[in-house]
Amino acid sequence: MQPRERRAADTEQGQRRNLDHPPVPQPLPHPVVDTHCHLDVADGRTDLSPAAAIELAAEVGVTRIIQVGCDVEGSRWAVQAAHRWPTVLASVAIHPNDAARLGSALDDGLAEIERLAADDRVVGVGETGLDYFRTRDEAGQQIQKRSFAAHIALAKQYDRTLVIHDRDAHADILEVLDAEGLPDRIVMHCFSGDPDFARACLDRGAYLSFGGTVTFKNSTALRDALAITPLDRIVTETDAPYLTPEPFRGRPNASYLIPHTARRIADVLGADLETVCRALDTNATTAFGTLPPTPLPARV
């Protein structure tokens, strides 16, 4: 399988990015799971194929990957990838910004997501949620809320973990969750809040997923949120090829770079790295309900 799209070579500010893949870090002392990845998006001066990315990740101790769909085509790709590679599982959804763009065609897209959610290699419904950074008009935000509610219903119907995208919409995320009723398992993808919002999410039983942003120099409030989060409620992710951890911010991200984030999590918590990695691995299995406990070798 090949990637289905390519990340832009320039930043949103019009600056050219460094497209060289960062070097491979030291392996982790215990395997962990990349709970949110986009293997279908190519990035870099020399492309890292999905198969190569999976193999390289395993070399540093990232032995399982959840491939996340953001639209119908991407969700189909995620399911196909999960059937091709034993260490990959899928999450399917229509991203909130895509939901707003679909408008009246949203129902057709949701019907396909429902079909895909029934697949036995699917462990999550998401990334769904709200994004008020890119969708600022009231009509678009109302469509996002309707889509979010529909995804919550699917997570309950198929006993899948709800994977929430939240950008500049903390209060409304909680409002929709409370109105629709909580599914059994929730993961806050790339958690972006402060300690108060972290407590609100934890009170609702959510797992908080910390990615490369927790390593950024300006993410003090995020590290404060991490510091008050119980170890048994933390998972980690890349959101690759986006949100590359320091010291390689802006360059192409991939699952093999999770060791940088895991080490930063351990530093913030003041905990032993192996203890943190064991917890991250156990938490991912619990958060997604059906991850195989022993990873199988990838078939490439």
Side-chain angles (χ1 to χ4, degrees), residues 38 157 170 247:
H38 301 287
Q157 179 180 349
H170 297 341

Side-chain angles (χ1 to χ4, degrees), residues 33-120:
V33 181
D34 182 354
T35 64
H36 196 113
C37 186
H38 301 287
L39 292 163
D40 57 331
V41 182
D43 193 22
R45 199 177 310 281
T46 303
D47 287 342
L48 188 65
S49 71
I54 293 166
E55 287 189 333
L56 196 57
E59 291 178 10
V60 299
V62 182
T63 54
R64 293 177 288 176
I65 295 171
I66 298 178
Q67 168 66 21
V68 177
C70 290
D71 55 23
V72 169
E73 183 183 352
S75 295
R76 289 185 186 126
W77 196 100
V79 173
Q80 292 167 3
H83 279 280
R84 177 165 184 175
W85 293 295
T87 55
V88 175
L89 293 117
S91 186
V92 298
I94 297 174
H95 189 284
N97 289 320
D98 286 277
R101 285 190 287 267
L102 282 172
S104 60
L106 176 61
D107 288 340
D108 290 340
L110 289 171
E112 178 63 6
I113 296 301
E114 179 176 0
R115 186 188 71 79
L116 293 168
D119 191 283
D120 63 4

Side-chain angles (χ1 to χ4, degrees), residues 92-94 110 113 124-130 144-164 172-186:
V92 298
I94 297 174
L110 289 171
I113 296 301
V125 168
E127 56 187 285
T128 182
L130 304 173
Q144 288 190 359
K145 289 181 180 179
R146 183 165 74 86
S147 177
F148 186 22
H151 283 83
I152 293 171
L154 287 178
K156 294 177 183 177
Q157 179 180 349
Y158 292 101
D159 190 28
R160 305 305 190 217
T161 299
L162 184 69
V163 180
I164 297 179
D172 282 1
I173 287 285
L174 299 179
E175 181 179 310
V176 174
L177 279 173
D178 291 345
E180 299 300 320
L182 303 172
D184 288 342
R185 298 179 305 281
I186 300 170

Side-chain angles (χ1 to χ4, degrees), residues 161-245:
T161 299
L162 184 69
V163 180
I164 297 179
H165 172 103
D166 164 34
R167 192 169 187 186
D168 295 351
H170 297 341
D172 282 1
I173 287 285
L174 299 179
E175 181 179 310
V176 174
L177 279 173
D178 291 345
E180 299 300 320
L182 303 172
D184 288 342
R185 298 179 305 281
I186 300 170
V187 171
M188 299 299 296
H189 151 56
C190 197
F191 182 79
S192 59
D194 61 12
D196 287 341
F197 185 59
R199 291 186 184 96
C201 294
L202 292 166
D203 286 345
R204 290 162 174 81
Y207 290 81
L208 308 188
S209 182
F210 292 90
T213 49
V214 79
T215 72
F216 293 176
K217 294 180 176 66
N218 61 347
S219 293
T220 301
L222 182 59
R223 286 187 287 274
D224 290 343
L226 169 61
I228 63 95
T229 303
L231 182 56
D232 65 357
R233 285 285 165 175
I234 298 170
V235 295
T236 192
E237 64 172 276
T238 57
D239 200 23
Y242 313 102
L243 302 181
T244 312

